[in-house]
Amino acid sequence: MSLLVFPSADELARHAAASFVRHAAAAIASHDRFAVVLSGGSTPRIVFRKLASDEFAPQVDWSNVHFFWGDERAVPPDHPDSNFRLAQEHLLAPLGIPDSNIHRIESERPPDEAAARYDADLTAFFGDGPRRFDLVHLGLGEDGHTASLFPDTVALGETQARVVANAVPRLQTTRITFTAPLINAARAVEFFVTGASKALVLREVLFGENHHYPSQMICPKDGTLTWLVTADAAAELPKQ
Ligand code: 6PG
């Protein structure tokens, strides 16, 4: 596991964009395509905008990049809370990514149906090969959740299914989410954490005695795990 601390969100986004470029080039050179899983919430916006900028966009062969989502809210794709909409506005539309490369969770359907259809989409994409994403982006919630793997929810105990509808009583909603086994099959996983509000949970997740946070389930079996955090989010970490 690598922990990288940046003075600002812009510096974090710059590093994340450069990492995306490197992973994309390596994946396309190795197996002709780059399968990346985007996260939701608000933090990814800075990374999307950096990737779509003139500084980074020309460095990627976008025709071979396939976009997936690690979780989605049970809202239509044009809803303000939609993780797809966040990426569409700040990354996919500005880059003109073709629909064939956008693998959206059909969150307008009932959650169980949306999860089953996404699982089928993954089967269609990966075929008989391993479901191994090249890069997975994740965020960290103040309760230690990641993707839509929230504390005390059923999805945490899922060992077989790869995409599930996960009821989140605290939010009074059901979300569609990857399970930890699917995320842990990735070649590379990167967490983006910004803001002083995440300082305490980040310390507990990375250095605490308790191991009950969902984000602590993320440990790629045969891949890299990197935490990209800003200085304000790292304020409570033991001095390195
Ligand atoms: C979501 C995300 C979720 C997010 C964290 C952090 O759908 O909300 O997948 O796991 O990454 O809640 O969100 P922020 O980056 O907005 O703090």
Side-chain angles (χ1 to χ4, degrees), residues 39-44 71 73 83 139-141 145-148 175 198:
S39 61
S42 57
T43 303
D71 74 319
R73 290 83 180 277
N83 291 338
L140 177 69
H145 81 260
T146 193
S148 283
R175 292 197 176 175
K198 303 289 177 72

Side-chain angles (χ1 to χ4, degrees), residues 12-185:
L12 183 153
R14 180 180 304 281
H15 184 96
S19 175
F20 185 106
V21 168
R22 286 195 305 276
H23 281 293
I28 293 166
S30 161
H31 42 274
D32 298 323
R33 64 188 187 183
F34 177 52
V36 59
V37 180
L38 304 181
S39 61
S42 57
T43 303
R45 179 184 295 112
I46 53 174
V47 178
F48 295 161
R49 294 173 69 86
K50 194 66 77 177
L51 270 173
S53 71
D54 291 343
E55 180 181 1
F56 288 96
Q59 301 179 49
V60 180
D61 172 8
W62 296 104
S63 66
N64 286 310
V65 178
H66 288 263
F67 293 92
F68 297 82
W69 281 261
D71 74 319
E72 185 58 277
R73 290 83 180 277
V75 297
D78 59 354
H79 190 282
D81 291 347
S82 165
N83 291 338
F84 163 79
R85 175 173 158 173
L86 181 76
Q88 177 72 357
E89 284 182 359
H90 299 288
L91 182 64
L92 306 179
L95 292 173
I97 302 295
D99 289 348
S100 57
N101 290 37
I102 299 172
H103 306 269
R104 182 179 69 83
I105 297 173
E106 295 175 288
S107 52
E108 64 277 16
R109 298 177 180 274
D112 280 322
E113 183 182 335
R117 290 174 71 95
Y118 208 52
D119 189 71
D121 287 353
L122 297 187
T123 299
F125 182 80
F126 287 107
D128 296 332
R131 292 184 174 188
R132 195 154 192 233
F133 289 99
D134 295 300
L135 177 61
V136 176
H137 287 168
L138 293 173
L140 177 69
E142 292 183 32
D143 59 359
H145 81 260
T146 193
S148 283
L149 300 170
F150 284 82
D152 307 315
T153 58
V154 172
L156 299 185
E158 186 56 64
T159 58
Q160 299 306 316
R162 294 297 183 259
V163 185
V164 297
N166 192 31
V168 187
R170 185 169 66 80
L171 299 179
Q172 295 180 317
T173 188
T174 296
R175 292 197 176 175
I176 301 99
T177 187
F178 279 15
T179 57
L182 180 55
I183 297 170
N184 286 332

